């Protein structure tokens, strides 16, 4: 067939990919298909609103603030409610938690409770919405630890290595759904004409070392000297490549990490003198992205320990994040520990 065919080599829909993945596991109940299908449906509804932003009255802020002190945008709220509503009645979940809600989100009493817990950042990078910059949804799934009934805090406050699936959706120049259930990371691009996600990035592997760093360098003056030395190192001529690292920062974590996964390099949001744990939220941002990046062959730490090994103590806790190519994360850690100066 001509190489100019508009279709990828293998025409595989997200749904078929999930079902085939499940069939390869004896005893699978098909629950993941239901869960991931629910999330992808909610994401399409969010995408529909995102693409209308500017035309209808959906841009701008609500008059409310979330627990992290961010003003909630109208689209944050729309995404939050849409995801909850798409997932509350399916019978797979016993509880949910979202960046925009202070407390656990329980399953309505008239629906059954299932064996999984879902955590999500409904709209990541929402500060970028009004400027038409790529934003996304991040999600994370755990198996419940309590036996039955409505889910409790301990079902949600599990370390990231206990995730059984995670993923994100990008609302960018195209819409992408990227997920892992522990067997590689796979990316799907929406064909809007048929409303289907088609496999476009099979088994994403992050390069071992990259040439890009991504951070909000405006915070330099608040960083500890070890961090400042690390960033000076990134700006020096690399003998291997003959040039310094390139700086790229979108300001939507999900998009910055997506690029990092495809091209390699490092993304970091360090702690600083004002915010010792940085800005990012462990449960909704760091853990799912760390799970995916590790699945793609990369690494993620808080500067001291592996992100996925952090025992969370509260729903909305923050944690520093250094994530990306294995070699780059390890160099960052050497600077932070003072091993390298
Ligand atoms: P959210 O929109 O979900 O509140 O997340 C915003 C986060 C993240 O997406 C981004 O990388 C980071 O905030 C940007 O922070 P700075 O503006 O401090 O760089
Ligand atoms: Mn976010
Ligand atoms: Mn958000």
């Amino acid at each position: 067939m001509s190489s100019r065919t508009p279709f990828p080599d293998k025409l595989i829909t997200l749904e078929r990919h999930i079902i085939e993945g499940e069939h390869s596991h004896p005893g699978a109940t098909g629950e993941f298909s239901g869960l991931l299908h629910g999330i992808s449906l909610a994401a399409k509804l969010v995408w529909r609103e995102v693409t209308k932003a500017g035309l209808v009255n959906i841009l701008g802020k609500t008059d409310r603030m979330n627990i992290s002190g961010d003003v909630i945008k109208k689209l944050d709220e729309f995404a939050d409610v849409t995801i909850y509503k798409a997932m509350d009645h399916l019978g797979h979940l016993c509880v949910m938690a979202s960046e925009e809600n202070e407390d656990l989100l329980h399953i309505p009493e008239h629906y059954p409770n299932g064996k999984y817990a879902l955590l999500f950042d409904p709209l990541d990078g929402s500060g970028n919405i009004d400027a038409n910059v790529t934003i996304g949804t991040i999600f994370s799934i755990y198996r419940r630890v309590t036996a039955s009934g409505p889910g409790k805090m301990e079902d949600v406050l599990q370390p990231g290595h206990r995730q059984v699936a995670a993923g994100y959706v990008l609302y960018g120049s195209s819409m992408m759904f990227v997920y892992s259930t522990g067997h590689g990371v796979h990316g799907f691009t929406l064909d809007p004409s048929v409303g289907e996600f088609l496999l476009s990035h099979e088994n994403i592997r992050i390069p071992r070392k990259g040439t890009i760093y991504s951070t909000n360098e405006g915070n330099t003056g608040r960083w500890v000297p070890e961090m400042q030395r690390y960033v000076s190192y990134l700006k020096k001529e690399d003998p291997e490549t003959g040039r310094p690292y390139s700086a790229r920062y979108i300001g939507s974590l999900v998009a910055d990490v997506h690029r990092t996964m495809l091209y390699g390099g490092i993304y970091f949001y360090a702690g600083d003198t004002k915010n010792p744990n940085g800005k990012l939220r462990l449960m909704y941002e760091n853990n799912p992205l760390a799970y995916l990046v590790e699945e793609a062959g990369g690494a993620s730490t808080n500067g001291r320990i592996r992100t996925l090994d952090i025992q969370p103590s509260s729903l909305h806790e923050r944690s520093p994040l250094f994530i990306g190519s294995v070699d780059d994360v390890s160099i960052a850690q050497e600077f932070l520990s003072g091993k390298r100066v």
Side-chain angles (χ1 to χ4, degrees):
M1 200 183 281
S2 151
S3 60
R4 283 165 58 230
T5 167
F7 300 112
D9 284 350
K10 286 191 245 172
L11 207 50
I12 298 180
T13 63
L14 173 63
E15 238 166 322
R16 193 178 131 203
H17 195 267
I18 298 165
I19 290 170
E20 283 182 2
E22 275 193 327
H23 284 169
S24 63
H25 295 92
T29 56
E31 299 223 39
F32 270 157
S33 320
L35 273 171
L36 295 169
H37 180 258
I39 296 168
S40 74
L41 173 67
K44 283 182 208 168
L45 297 172
V46 173
W47 169 243
R48 192 185 63 194
E49 286 314 286
V50 167
T51 55
K52 282 193 292 194
L55 291 174
V56 294
N57 184 25
I58 190 85
L59 285 179
K61 302 162 179 166
T62 66
D63 52 7
R64 285 176 302 287
M65 219 176 238
N66 68 15
I67 181 79
S68 301
D70 310 321
V71 175
I72 301 176
K73 302 260 185 168
K74 290 182 197 163
L75 272 168
D76 280 324
E77 194 166 63
F78 178 84
D80 190 42
V81 173
T82 302
I83 296 169
Y84 177 78
K85 285 274 163 218
M87 306 304 295
D88 69 350
H89 58 284
L90 300 178
H92 307 306
L93 298 175
C94 61
V95 69
M96 292 185 246
S98 135
E99 185 188 273
E100 302 302 349
N101 294 277
E102 184 168 357
D103 298 317
L104 292 177
L105 298 169
H106 289 289
I107 303 301
E109 269 173 28
H110 50 284
Y111 295 133
N113 282 293
K115 59 175 188 260
Y116 295 101
L118 172 71
L119 286 81
F120 56 97
D121 177 353
L123 220 45
D124 176 67
S126 55
N128 283 320
I129 293 171
D130 295 5
N132 208 349
V133 171
T134 296
I135 51 180
T137 294
I138 309 174
F139 64 91
S140 164
I141 300 172
Y142 293 84
R143 188 166 284 118
R144 70 182 300 170
V145 292
T146 56
S148 58
K152 301 205 174 77
M153 199 52 104
E154 58 256 49
D155 294 313
V156 165
L157 288 188
Q158 304 191 51
H161 64 78
R162 302 261 277 269
Q163 286 169 104
V164 290
Y168 57 79
V169 186
L170 284 176
Y171 312 107
S173 47
S174 62
M175 180 184 179
M176 274 195 80
F177 188 101
V178 177
Y179 87 103
S180 178
T181 54
H183 305 279
V185 181
H186 309 286
F188 298 76
T189 303
L190 184 76
D191 181 334
S193 62
V194 288
E196 289 278 6
F197 284 107
L198 300 177
L199 182 62
S200 53
H201 297 65
E202 191 173 12
N203 198 19
I204 298 172
R205 302 300 296 169
I206 182 168
R208 201 176 163 86
K209 189 166 184 295
T211 55
I212 297 174
Y213 75 100
S214 184
T215 196
N216 184 345
E217 223 173 322
N219 293 325
T220 308
R222 293 176 174 176
W223 287 341
V224 293
E226 289 84 350
M227 270 300 297
Q228 297 183 358
R229 283 198 286 271
Y230 171 52
V231 174
S232 307
Y233 154 83
L234 294 169
K235 292 176 174 173
K236 283 197 190 115
E237 207 84 16
D238 181 328
E240 264 174 49
T241 61
R243 52 175 299 184
Y245 279 67
S246 295
R248 298 281 184 276
Y249 190 68
I250 297 165
S252 293
L253 171 69
V254 64
D256 280 313
V257 169
H258 180 67
R259 183 202 54 245
T260 305
M261 205 145 60
L262 295 183
Y263 298 169
I266 186 164
Y267 172 95
F268 49 94
Y269 208 112
D272 60 45
T273 48
K274 192 144 183 264
N275 305 298
N277 291 317
K279 175 178 186 187
L280 302 175
R281 281 132 303 199
L282 178 63
M283 304 308 292
Y284 314 106
E285 295 173 318
N286 305 20
N287 270 340
L289 296 175
Y291 177 87
L292 291 161
V293 166
E294 281 202 7
E295 266 297 314
S300 175
T301 82
N302 66 358
R304 284 175 299 111
I305 62 166
R306 181 183 174 222
T307 302
L308 299 181
D309 285 339
I310 300 171
Q311 175 60 53
S313 51
S314 66
L315 267 186
H316 298 281
E317 74 185 67
R318 298 173 194 267
S319 177
L321 180 68
F322 297 79
I323 190 167
S325 295
V326 165
D327 286 356
D328 286 304
V329 172
S330 131
I331 294 168
Q333 218 153 2
E334 281 173 20
F335 274 94
L336 289 169
S337 65
K339 242 196 239 161
R340 224 165 137 156
V341 286

